[in-house]
């Protein structure tokens, strides 16, 4: 009997090949639950933004995502 990592991989492969295929998965059922109107509105909102703009450049839009600076700590009163 094969033991160790190779045996584990063989067992995983056999189990994966014998899996129940009656469930087609979320991508193949037809209803993807995406709000197309909301998606198109969001795409229209960002269509005119400069693709090379960085969040530090001060473009109009939300300041979030990769490259966004950390929020400032609250000011003491």
């Amino acid at each position: 009997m094969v033991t160790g990592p190779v045996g584990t991989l063989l067992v995983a492969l056999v189990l994966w090949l014998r899996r129940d295929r009656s469930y087609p998965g979320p991508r193949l059922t037809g209803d993807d639950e995406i709000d197309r109107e909301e998606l198109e509105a969001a795409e229209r909102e960002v269509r005119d933004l400069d693709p090379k703009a960085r969040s530090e450049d001060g473009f109009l839009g939300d300041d979030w995502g990769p490259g966004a600076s950390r929020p400032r700590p609250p000011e003491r009163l």
Side-chain angles (χ1 to χ4, degrees):
M1 184 124 232
V2 180
T3 61
V6 175
T8 304
L9 288 175
L10 286 175
V11 169
L13 178 65
V14 168
L15 290 174
W16 182 74
L17 289 173
R18 296 184 47 87
R19 73 189 184 280
D20 180 23
R21 295 188 180 145
S22 63
Y23 176 68
R27 293 178 289 168
L28 303 176
T29 57
D31 182 23
D32 55 8
E33 298 181 12
I34 295 175
D35 186 356
R36 299 289 177 191
E37 292 177 9
E38 184 71 25
L39 178 61
E40 290 173 8
E43 288 175 348
R44 282 192 303 272
E45 183 179 324
V46 298
R47 187 174 292 142
D48 297 330
L49 295 177
D50 182 17
K52 295 180 182 176
R54 297 177 47 94
S55 61
E56 293 85 19
D57 294 339
F59 67 91
L60 296 174
D62 293 334
D63 190 15
W64 64 276
S69 61
R70 295 185 136 200
R72 288 181 284 171
E75 294 182 20
R76 279 211 141 147
L77 299 177

